[in-house]
Structures are given as structure tokens and as C-alpha cells.
Amino acid sequence: MLFSSPRFFVFVTVLLGLLSLPVSVRAKKSILTAASCLFYAAWDYRYLGLLALVSVIDYVAAARIHTAAAPRSRRMWLALSVASNLGILAYFKYTNFFLATLAGVIGREHPPMLEILLPAGISFYTFKSMSYTIDVFRSEIEPCASYLDYAMFITFFPELIAGPIVRASVFLPQMDRNPGPNRSRVAIGLSLFLLGLAKKRLLADRFAQGADPIFAHPEWFSGGTLAAGALCYAMQIYCDFSGYSDMAIGTAKLIGYDLPENFSAPYISRDITEFWRRWHITLSSWLRDYLYVPLGGNRRGALRTYVNLAATMLLGGLWHGAGWNFVVWGALHGGALAMHRFLRQRGSTWQLPAPVSWALTFVFVCLCWIPFRAATFSTSWTFVTRMLTWSDGYRWIPENTLLTIPVALGLLLARRLENASVPTPRWLEAFDAEVVRDPVSGWSLRLGVGTVLGAFSVTMLLGLIWYFAAATTSPFIYFQF
Amino acid sequence: MALGSRTAGVAGSVLGLLCLEAAVRTTYSVRYAPEAGYVNVNAPGATFVWGREGHGISHWEAHGIRRGPSPRDTAGPRVLILGDSITEALQVGDEVSFVSQAEMRLRREPRPVVLNAGHSTFSVADYIFHAPRNLETFAPRWTVVVADASDFTYNAWDKTKPRFAASPDGALRVEYVDAESPTERRFGRFTPFTKAVPYAFIRFREFRAAAGKEPPLFRAGRDAAAASSATEPDYPIEEEAAMLGRAYAGRLSVLLLPKFDVSPPFVALTPIEQRIRAGLLAAGVRVVVPEAEFRALGRQKKCPYGFANLVFNEGHLNADGHAAVAEALAREIDDAVF
């Protein structure tokens, strides 16, 4: 069920109505859990059992970890949890990738492929569930007192399919809340949802119209067209994923819960390290805390640090998809992170001017999106070589490339507002808008219609979506992971 | 005096709606008028602004004819160009449309007057049904129908508009169906005053159609619109071609628009297109296909279809495509009329 579809609007409206009923908190949690299961089953009811299996294994494992006295027993239950989650993920996501790779190694032309349907959200909910048992093992959190609370955490539909990856330490403390809409949360939630919807329908889907034909057949197009296509995709994936995250966070706020921030104006980063502090924040922090740090982090010397960085990003790339192009993408970013760390530690005497370092970072990130998006490794090679050699071909520069301008302006505004010490600028107050901050979601922009400019802006935003959004919406990019 | 928040909200919303009206007019600004004995036509004297695909401004005259190049020698012989939205060409300006360009290329004296009577959604069934009206209203010396394969196949058998049908005795006939669009029916009277209201309804229908293509609930992997396993019907192309030729008393050419392939040889007629060409020739109808012109475009790495604000190599003819088709059309008019 896409967030931008009429079905979803009906679903959320009915749910909010049910959560407004004068019933107990426990009853509301049951309603919410049931609604989340219905949301997941709307994709395919057959895989609801898999979600239940993961939740039961980890709920029991965490409870056993907490009560077990012997360290060996605690480690055994942790191993069971991690192995079951990774095993399920490996089977559904990587079986055919391993088979194809093995066949390539032994020289077999037609490897046996299994018909395996990738369950929606499996990459996200397995990571979420693993973080729960690991945090219990580390004694950072207490296990859930009731299975209902844990089930609600695991199935929470706004972030079930494509994140943000919410940790138990962030979500479980909110379990005491009485779910349901209230005036202030509705204002912020609807604002976030509307802004996310605009990013998705007005921007991401329009950028997709430009990028899709170019990435489908890079051999047709000129070098300039390919460069425009790469830019379109860079904008598409940002608007698509951050738009989805905004809608997820906004929906959660409508219901009464806070989800963590997932994007923080990543495309104005001045170096690759900063980029990964701003892009898909919940994934990068998960990888840092559950992979990079256990590998040793930066505590075992410089060389080991670089290896740990590269390995973490390589696996991070593989997490996105079962394909060598994703491994290449991860390796490129891992290499860049290691290189950046090396240069910083050498106390580099040459400092690039900020615009230059921004440009280098942005161009590097855009180039890395090419193997991420291309259907195959050979397609990405064709794309890059034809673009960099400025090959001749059909010149078709999508007009939607111009939408990069409003994206850039939005990023600059976000950069201005993210500073916690900056109150709402006076000019934003004229739009009846307010910067709202909370410790979990970071900063959000609450829109209002109490001033002429405010009502004008909201009317224009709704109208632009209605009149100028692409008629057909493409699925959210991260739904495929 | 500061406005109360409710008043401010209303004022801001009204301002927003007015700005949206202005924004919509850069994309969708059309107006229709009824024509006795015919369908609704683009209103005489209207200026259309079209930004949904391409960016075109078009001007319309009486009887749904698009304004041609000027100066024009009205004493010249008339050549009537019939076609659908590709001929109507809202996506490009008047002087860019292939009909205007073809007229400008003709070097005869007096120069023929080439009339663009393109009408969106029309197919071969419409051209046959409205032939008496076309011949009486315009008295052309020659008629050219611009069509593609769909105009002889599924478009011409669409149950929602004038279409071919089989009589009880098996003979082919054209059935008339009132094809006034739901938008025109509901909002036609508003279009002189607002474009945002009818366009909002068009967008509603588009979103509803897109929602119908969403995956089915509860069972992933199945397409909402399951690919039809039924084979393509065997359309009576030859009979359609014969009817078309008779409708225009043999003074007819068909300009058949092929698909464009970005790889050499760029144009290759499909079996159905070959059958259409053969059927028309057998019916005594002249046929011209801009193969050479499209191939020349392909060698220059230009594509005749598609616009930068929509999809590559899909949709309507762009400026390069119009120039290529104009060349073929001018040559055909020269050969056929003179």
C-alpha cells in the first residue's frame, strides 16, 4: 500500500478514527498492531507469518538473555536471534545471488535459480528486530514486558516497509503514551506528510520520468544526456526516500509516536563523512553501532580502521540489494570514507574551499548512484564510460532536471533551520509556520493557514500536487530493499 | 488593521486558487464549441496553451481548422488534412506543425491552402463517418488522412466513440456514438471562465485510472491489469481501407506514421502496417510513409517522437518529427494534387 495512494489515505483515516475512541491504551495498541498487520498483509498475506516468526524468536530470545545468568547462555540466545534473522534475510534476499555467483565461478552458464519472492520490508524489520536483542544483551534496554508491546514495535506500519530503522531504545520508551491524534500532533504530522507527499509526487516521480529511459538504455544517449540522467536519479532517490521518510514520520506523529530523523540535507555535505551523517541516518548509525564498532571501530590502529570502514560500507551496499553493482557502490563509499579519514588524520595542510569540497562530494555521490541504479554491472559501465567520454548519441535533456533548483533551495533552507540554536526565522512566522524540535525526530516544519501567506502556501502546495504531479506514481525506491 | 486568522486563511486560500488558475493556464488552456452536424470543435478564435506535453500555443479558426501560415493565397486549391491529436499538434506552435510547414514548402502557383482539421481521438471510422460533412464544408481538391496502425485497429473499434461494426449480414459499417468527453459534458460551460475546474476533473480521472493499476491487495506479484492472453483480433483492414477510399471518392492519400526505433534501420514497418499499406493501395488510395525522413533523423541521432517534459520516443511528434513529416506531406501533395 503506497503512502501516496488513495487506499492509504482511507486506511489512515479509519485508523485515526478508531484510535480516537474512548477505549483503553491496551485496546488502542491492539488496534494499532492489528492495523499494522493488515497493512503488511495488504502487500501479501502469506508473509505475515514470517514477520510473526521473527518477532516471536526475538521476543523469546531477548527474554531469555535478560533472565539467563550464565554469559554463555546469554551469548547462545543472542546467536540464535542474530543467526535466525540473518538466515531468513540471506535465504530470501541472497540465495539466487549466491547461486549465480557460484555458477559464474565454476563456469556454469545457466545457474539454477529458485523462485523466491522477496518479502516486503525484510531488510528493515530484521535489522530492527536484531537491534532489540543486541541492546538487551548489552543491557542498554530492558526487554518488553508484554508481547503486545513488542509486536506493536515490530509491526509499526509507518516504518515497517522502508524505515526509518527504529531502535527499540527509541520506540519502547514511548509505549506508555496514549496513541491517537491530538491537535498539535495532527498539525505537525499533516505538515510533514504533505511535504513528503510533495517531494514524492511533485519531485521524485518527475525526476523518474527523466532518469528511467536514460538508465534503461544508456547506449542510446549522448554524454550530456547521461549526465542529466545521473543528476535526475540523484535527485529522484533523495526526494523519493526522504519524502517517504517524511510521510512515515508524519504518519507516526498523527498516531502519537515519534520516529527518528532519517535525512538531514545530505546533498550539501562538504565531505563524504558528513554525507553519511546526513544520508539514511538510521541505517548508517545501525551499521556503525552493530557492525563497525564490534569490528573494532577506530580502536585498533589506522589500517584496521580503514578496513573496518570499507567492510562496513561493503556490507551496507550488499544490504541494499543482491547484486555486484550494490557491492561496487558500497566499496566506492567505503573507500572514500577511508581516504577521507586518512587525509584528516594526516592533518592535511591543504584545505579546499567549501564550494570546491562540496562540489567534489556531490559529484562523487552522483557518480556512485550510477551503479546503484543501473540494472546490471555492464549497464553501469556503459553509462559511466559514455558519460565521461562525452559520447555522441540522442540528446534528450529532461526538462525535469530544472526541478533541481527547488530541491537545492529546500536543502539550503533545511541547513539553516537544522541548527538547534536557530529559532523560527521571522519570515517563516509570516507564513504561520514554525520550526518544531523534539529529541527523537529532530526538527520539523509545522505549516499553518492562519496567515494570508500561510494559507496561500498550503493551497498552492496542495494544488501543485493535484495539477502537476505525475499521473502515475512509481513505487518507492527503498521498497525494493 | 491585522486580519483575523480565519479571514487571513480564506484570503490566502483565494489568492492561492487564483495563482493556481494562472499556473494551470500555462499547461491546459482550451475551449470548445459545438459545430452543427459534427462534434465539438476547438472554438473559433480560441488560443490554446498546452504544456502537458511539449509547449505549444495554437490558434483556431472556424470549423475546427488550425490557423495556417500567412500570408496565404485563399484562391489556391484546398487540401484537407485529417488526423487525430498528432495532426492537431497542440504540443507545438502553429508554424511548427507539419501541416503549416508542408504548405510553406509548396512552390506551386497559386499555392495550395492546406487545412489542418486534426481532431484528438479520431480514427479512420470518424473520417469515414464525417466524410460528407468534410467534403461539403471544405470542398477539397484532395484529402490526406494522417494515421498510424492504431487508427485502423483498436482505436477504430473503440466502443466509446464512432467505430466500425459488423452488420448482421457481415458487412462492415460505421456506427455513430456520441463521444462527448465527460469533462466537456460536466464542465464545458465553465471553460470560458476557468481552466482549473475542468482540469481538476481531468486530473481526478487520471488519478483514478492510475489507482486502478495498483497491485491487487493481499497477493503480491500479480499485475492489477493482467496481461490479456487473448490474441489480437483480426481486423478487416482491407475492407476499412476500401470504405475510406470510397468515402473520399478516390481523391485521397494516407500518410502512415510508423513507430521509430532508436537503433538502425530506425523504421521497419510491422506486419500490420504492411497490411494497412497493401490494403490501401489495393483500394486505390495513395500511401506515403515518411521512412526516409525518419531514417535521416535517426542518422542525426534525433528522435521524431517525445518531448523533454514527458517521455523519450513516446507520445506525439516533436519539432524534428514535424519537420520530417512535413517533407513527406509536401512531396505527396505536390505529386497527388498536381
Side-chain angles (χ1 to χ4, degrees), chain A residues 64-133:
Chain A
R64 293 286 184 267
I65 288 169
H66 186 67
T67 57
R72 186 164 174 242
S73 183
R74 285 163 53 84
R75 283 196 297 271
M76 186 195 74
W77 282 107
L78 177 66
L80 172 68
S81 166
V82 173
S84 61
N85 278 287
L86 292 181
I88 288 170
L89 185 63
Y91 171 74
F92 282 98
K93 196 163 179 176
Y94 300 108
T95 301
N96 285 328
F97 171 63
F98 289 139
L99 289 174
T101 303
L102 186 63
V105 166
I106 64 176
R108 187 167 169 180
E109 268 195 30
H110 301 290
M113 305 297 267
L114 303 180
E115 278 192 34
I116 301 173
L117 182 65
L118 182 67
I122 190 170
S123 303
F124 292 89
Y125 67 70
T126 51
F127 270 36
K128 187 166 72 169
S129 201
M130 272 194 291
S131 77
Y132 170 67
T133 50

Side-chain angles (χ1 to χ4, degrees), chain A residues 1-2 5-7 38 41-46 117 201 206 209-210 213 220-221 392-400 449-453 455-457 459-460 462-473, chain B residues 3-5 8-13 15-17 19-20 23-24 27 55 196-197 199-200 203-204 206-207 210-211 214-220 260-263 266 298 301-303 306-312:
Chain A
M1 208 187 296
L2 292 179
S5 71
R7 279 178 189 164
L38 179 66
W43 171 74
D44 195 311
Y45 71 92
R46 297 171 297 173
L117 182 65
R201 297 306 302 269
R206 286 289 186 194
Q209 278 180 330
W220 290 351
F221 296 100
D392 189 28
Y394 287 91
R395 267 176 295 151
W396 184 72
I397 308 292
E399 271 185 19
N400 296 330
V449 295
T451 62
V452 173
L453 285 176
F456 171 79
S457 304
T459 304
M460 283 296 292
L462 288 167
L464 287 173
I465 292 171
W466 186 262
Y467 286 114
F468 296 103
T472 52
T473 186
Chain B
L3 292 173
S5 65
V10 170
S13 300
L15 200 61
L17 290 172
C19 285
L20 283 169
V24 166
T27 294
H55 298 285
V197 170
Y199 193 46
R203 294 289 296 172
F204 169 73
E206 287 175 350
F207 288 135
E214 278 193 49
L217 285 173
F218 305 116
R219 194 68 185 241
F260 180 82
D261 188 342
V262 296
S263 306
F266 307 113
K301 297 292 183 201
K302 291 179 181 175
C303 185
F307 289 84
N309 62 348
L310 210 61
V311 190
F312 176 73

Side-chain angles (χ1 to χ4, degrees), chain A residues 143-172:
Chain A
C144 276
S146 79
Y147 180 69
L148 175 63
D149 282 359
Y150 185 69
M152 195 186 104
F153 161 63
I154 282 295
T155 60
F156 192 56
F157 75 90
E159 42 82 6
L160 175 61
I161 303 293
I165 301 173
V166 185
R167 304 203 199 173
S169 57
V170 170
F171 196 82
L172 294 180

Side-chain angles (χ1 to χ4, degrees), chain A residues 1-3 39 118-121 124 161-162 240 244 475-481:
Chain A
M1 208 187 296
L2 292 179
F3 280 9
F39 178 86
L118 182 67
F124 292 89
I161 303 293
D240 192 283
Y244 164 82
F476 287 101
I477 293 174
Y478 269 70
F479 273 27
Q480 64 185 298
F481 306 137

Side-chain angles (χ1 to χ4, degrees), chain A residues 177-417:
Chain A
R177 293 185 186 182
N178 183 7
N182 66 42
R183 198 182 168 117
S184 66
R185 299 186 71 85
V186 164
I188 299 169
L190 282 180
S191 302
L192 268 172
F193 192 91
L194 183 59
L195 289 169
L197 186 66
K199 277 189 196 174
K200 169 62 177 166
R201 297 306 302 269
L202 271 180
L203 297 173
D205 289 347
R206 286 289 186 194
F207 281 122
Q209 278 180 330
D212 286 350
I214 296 173
F215 273 89
H217 293 281
E219 69 276 13
W220 290 351
F221 296 100
S222 67
T225 302
L226 293 170
L231 179 63
C232 277
Y233 184 69
M235 293 296 119
Q236 178 197 348
I237 191 169
Y238 167 65
C239 294
D240 192 283
F241 198 14
S242 68
Y244 164 82
S245 295
D246 288 343
M247 283 195 266
I249 296 169
T251 304
K253 285 202 188 288
L254 286 174
I255 295 170
Y257 297 96
D258 298 318
L259 298 183
E261 184 183 31
N262 216 12
F263 290 87
S264 178
Y267 282 159
I268 44 179
S269 302
R270 291 174 192 163
D271 55 66
I272 196 67
T273 304
E274 183 184 2
F275 175 79
W276 278 102
R277 281 203 299 267
R278 294 173 173 276
W279 178 274
H280 202 174
I281 297 167
T282 57
L283 174 68
S284 58
S285 61
W286 195 102
L287 291 172
R288 179 196 63 212
D289 294 340
Y290 299 108
L291 188 57
Y292 176 70
V293 167
L295 285 175
N298 59 4
R299 300 187 307 273
R300 298 195 184 172
L303 185 61
R304 180 64 185 263
T305 301
Y306 306 144
V307 169
N308 291 341
L309 275 171
T312 301
M313 289 310 298
L314 214 117
L315 289 171
L318 197 58
W319 174 89
H320 282 83
W324 287 108
N325 43 336
F326 294 106
V327 176
V328 167
W329 174 80
L332 286 170
H333 276 277
L337 282 167
M339 172 74 76
H340 182 241
R341 190 175 181 93
F342 171 74
L343 291 172
R344 266 193 334 195
Q345 284 183 328
R346 288 196 61 179
S348 178
T349 54
W350 48 277
Q351 293 280 343
L352 291 173
V356 175
S357 61
W358 166 80
L360 284 174
T361 305
F362 183 70
V363 168
F364 173 77
V365 168
C366 286
L367 286 174
C368 288
W369 284 131
I370 294 171
F372 190 91
R373 169 61 176 85
T376 63
F377 190 71
S378 66
T379 307
S380 58
W381 181 252
T382 301
F383 196 115
V384 171
T385 50
R386 287 181 60 82
M387 184 177 71
L388 295 181
T389 55
W390 214 247
S391 297
D392 189 28
Y394 287 91
R395 267 176 295 151
W396 184 72
I397 308 292
E399 271 185 19
N400 296 330
T401 317
L402 292 172
L403 293 172
T404 306
I405 296 171
V407 175
L409 292 174
L411 288 170
L412 289 171
L413 176 63
R415 181 109 184 188
R416 167 90 170 82
L417 297 176

Side-chain angles (χ1 to χ4, degrees), chain A residues 26-58:
Chain A
R26 186 177 171 80
K28 289 185 182 181
K29 287 182 186 177
S30 302
I31 291 170
L32 191 47
T33 306
S36 296
C37 290
L38 179 66
F39 178 86
Y40 192 78
W43 171 74
D44 195 311
Y45 71 92
R46 297 171 297 173
Y47 290 89
L48 202 50
L50 186 66
L51 184 58
L53 177 67
V54 166
S55 72
V56 166
I57 290 174
D58 289 335

